[in-house]
Amino acid sequence: MSPPRVAIPVPDLSPYREGNTGIPYVWSFDSGRPGPHVGINALIHGNELSGAWALVRLLELGLRPQRGRLGLSFANIEAFAHFDPDDPTASRFLEEDMNRLWRRELLEGPARTVELRRARELLPHYRSLDFLLDLHSMQTASPPLMLCGLTPKGRRFARRMGYPATVVADAGHPGGVRLIDFEAFGAPRRKPVAVLLEAGQHWAQGSIDVALAACLHFLRATEVLDPELAMRLAPTRSAGRQRFIEVTHAVTVRRGPFLFKERFRGLEVIEREGTVIATDGGEAVRTPYDHCVLIMPSRRLAPGLTAVRLGREVPPPRI
Ligand SMILES: [Zn+2]
């Protein structure tokens, strides 16, 4: 299947190479007033351009925190440097997925890849954060969603942000640990909180606005920016009623070929239990209950990879 068209230009990140933290492509601004250290991160996946554009916009605006500290980081710069609009999926990573390696044993172990080297370089930055917004995007033109991990603190924080409209609580991937689940972020009793935005399709113009809006809602919710200023700058002020979805199943490709019954985009609600949504090696894949929500159907359908996640709507958390 040919990938969708790249409808946005590739941002020029060369002005931001030096950073001001001692780590290339990592910027930090201190308000000089007490408050949390909050970070917005883009390009954990080198081909997800909308997040990079949102950070460029914030840097061009010269936005500074009014309380606490604000860190802006571009993660997998080497994969990004290989981005090719004619083969835009190839630069997701170079040697390994940078959002599957966030385990201390791996980071402190002997393995060497491009991604591990950069992760080790970024580690002190991520470990210093009280709040993290990790900007991603999706293969399909799915409505935006926030992944808040499995902790109650993640769910409550997503509610406090109020944007985007859909929040998904999930455990990540069997293939490795995500940055938002790393150490303190994933520990229910520790304070730091991390959430992951899936802004929309990787190379759609609208995904940049979604990513930028999420950044400003994040800065409002963490109180490093005056709420009025944050909302004046945000492309979208309100997402309306939020809905919370708990992931119950990750459908992994077993044998293949894995074929979806329809061209699902994500967030479709399948009303009846037992509905066939795909076949895997000729075997039917059925929904396990009524009102089942499909989350991020994948186009990468090799055995061992997650094809789609299934979830059900749950009441929003109290804050
Ligand atoms: Zn991603």
Side-chain angles (χ1 to χ4, degrees), residues 43-48 92 97 99-100 134-138 196-198 202 300:
L43 291 179
I44 279 277
H45 293 131
N47 63 344
E48 298 182 358
R92 177 176 166 86
D97 191 325
N99 212 22
R100 303 286 184 274
D134 194 16
L135 300 173
H136 288 251
S137 51
M138 296 179 272
L196 185 162
L197 176 77
E198 297 283 6
H202 296 317
R300 291 187 307 273

Side-chain angles (χ1 to χ4, degrees), residues 180-319:
I180 63 161
D181 303 316
F182 177 55
E183 292 186 340
F185 296 137
R189 289 176 196 283
R190 292 177 66 187
K191 276 199 171 158
V193 184
V195 288
L196 185 162
L197 176 77
E198 297 283 6
Q201 208 282 330
H202 296 317
W203 313 295
Q205 187 68 43
S207 301
I208 300 176
D209 284 345
V210 171
L212 187 61
C215 291
L216 289 155
H217 284 272
F218 174 76
L219 297 174
R220 173 188 53 71
T222 53
E223 300 178 358
V224 300
L225 264 198
D226 169 57
E228 246 173 67
L229 171 65
M231 289 306 90
R232 189 145 32 86
L233 296 172
T236 306
R237 291 185 184 193
S238 167
R241 186 185 85 87
Q242 270 185 315
R243 67 170 171 160
F244 285 73
I245 297 165
E246 237 169 44
V247 171
T248 56
H249 298 67
V251 178
T252 305
V253 180
R254 289 197 298 185
R255 285 202 314 238
F258 192 100
L259 303 166
F260 282 109
K261 281 286 169 198
E262 282 173 49
R263 210 177 152 77
F264 296 118
R265 296 190 323 153
L267 300 184
E268 289 89 352
V269 180
I270 309 295
E271 290 303 331
R272 305 295 301 176
E273 177 187 334
T275 304
V276 177
I277 52 166
T279 55
D280 184 356
E283 232 171 85
V285 177
R286 294 172 190 276
T287 51
Y289 41 76
D290 289 350
H291 314 298
C292 180
V293 187
L294 307 187
I295 297 147
M296 289 197 285
S298 180
R299 288 166 189 263
R300 291 187 307 273
L301 295 167
L305 296 181
T306 306
V308 63
R309 284 172 270 190
L310 308 177
R312 52 159 61 104
E313 189 165 348
V314 294
R318 286 166 199 252
I319 47 172

